[in-house]
Amino acid sequence: MQKHWSKFQLLHQVVQNPNIHIKGQHSYYSDSWDKGFEDSVVRYLHGDSVSKHWQPRWPIDQLYIGDYVCIAAEVVILMGGNHNHNVDWFSLYPFLDDVERSYRSKGDTIIRDGAWIGMRAMILPGIEIGEGAVIAANSVVTSNVGPYAIVGGNPAKVIKYRFSTEEIAKLLAMNIYDWRDDKFTALRPLLTQSNFQLLEQAVARYDREN
């Protein structure tokens, strides 16, 4: 099949790994140039086509992806399973008879609703990316990213926030991505504009009338 920019995968339709948890039916991956989300994006996660039959030697890190998440082409999400290069030891080498002692869990990786991850960005293990955050192309994310932040670089740093602190707090309180389908459909036109007052008024009016 010819690859093209117009092609994408809806994650809930393609993910089979039980360690990857997809919320909703709208998050997608732009698989323009590679083998798709599970085979190319998620790396080292126990349960891939090679390791899924192995007996785990430690708890497996989980990947949680919210709804309406946009993941651009050639993103890499590093997961648990290879954290055996212990920097506290004199030798970093992962000697097989010491892998259980050298392993250091990084924890689960969480990508919250409405986040946008730019092309070829890399997300290191155990990271949480907040609701509505933007990860710039080619960034290396080494620490948690706050809601509605725009980050970029290596290591990724905050460039700016998409909205004011007050507006971000209100957006999070609205729980937009947990709205019922009828409410989301009715208010979606207000989500595709930048006047916060209009959105706030429309939400309050809808809640009063429904």
Side-chain angles (χ1 to χ4, degrees):
M1 182 178 65
Q2 183 178 5
K3 292 288 188 177
H4 188 265
W5 285 107
S6 63
K7 306 296 183 183
F8 63 91
Q9 295 178 325
L10 288 171
L11 299 187
H12 75 282
Q13 293 180 346
V14 299
V15 168
Q16 299 182 22
N17 192 322
N19 298 308
I20 303 175
H21 309 272
I22 307 298
K23 173 186 174 184
Q25 299 183 349
H26 305 92
S27 294
Y28 71 83
Y29 172 59
S30 177
D31 64 332
S32 308
W33 308 114
D34 56 35
K35 297 179 181 180
F37 183 75
E38 274 202 75
D39 289 334
S40 298
V41 175
V42 183
R43 307 285 181 89
Y44 310 117
L45 180 62
H46 192 286
D48 61 18
S49 59
V50 174
S51 64
K52 64 182 180 181
H53 300 299
W54 298 352
Q55 180 64 36
R57 301 175 72 167
W58 40 71
I60 304 303
D61 298 345
Q62 305 292 295
L63 172 59
Y64 295 90
I65 298 179
D67 208 357
Y68 294 92
V69 172
C70 309
I71 302 178
E74 298 183 315
V75 164
V76 172
I77 301 175
L78 291 177
M79 293 298 298
N82 71 329
H83 311 312
N84 299 97
H85 304 278
N86 194 324
V87 296
D88 295 327
W89 292 3
F90 297 116
S91 176
L92 295 171
Y93 192 85
F95 297 103
L96 290 181
D97 55 350
D98 279 319
V99 291
E100 292 186 12
R101 288 200 308 119
S102 62
Y103 180 78
R104 295 292 183 270
S105 174
K106 304 295 184 180
D108 298 337
T109 296
I110 302 171
I111 303 174
R112 299 289 184 186
D113 301 314
W116 176 21
I117 304 177
M119 180 181 287
R120 294 179 179 168
M122 178 179 291
I123 301 172
L124 269 60
I127 298 298
E128 179 172 344
I129 296 176
E131 177 181 311
V134 178
I135 311 301
N138 286 309
S139 298
V140 179
V141 183
T142 62
S143 59
N144 293 345
V145 177
Y148 294 93
I150 299 176
V151 303
N154 181 8
K157 302 292 185 183
V158 175
I159 298 171
K160 66 177 184 178
Y161 287 89
R162 295 174 56 198
F163 309 106
S164 70
T165 300
E166 181 183 6
E167 289 171 341
I168 290 173
K170 290 181 178 180
L171 286 169
L172 294 174
M174 285 180 183
N175 292 314
I176 292 170
Y177 299 101
D178 291 322
W179 287 350
R180 302 185 316 272
D181 289 343
D182 56 341
K183 181 176 180 178
F184 194 96
T185 299
L187 295 174
R188 192 177 70 177
L190 280 303
L191 299 178
T192 55
Q193 55 89 46
S194 57
N195 187 317
F196 186 81
Q197 185 176 12
L198 285 180
L199 173 62
E200 194 171 31
Q201 291 173 348
V203 171
R205 183 168 58 252
Y206 185 92
D207 290 343
R208 284 196 308 269
E209 298 174 355
N210 294 274

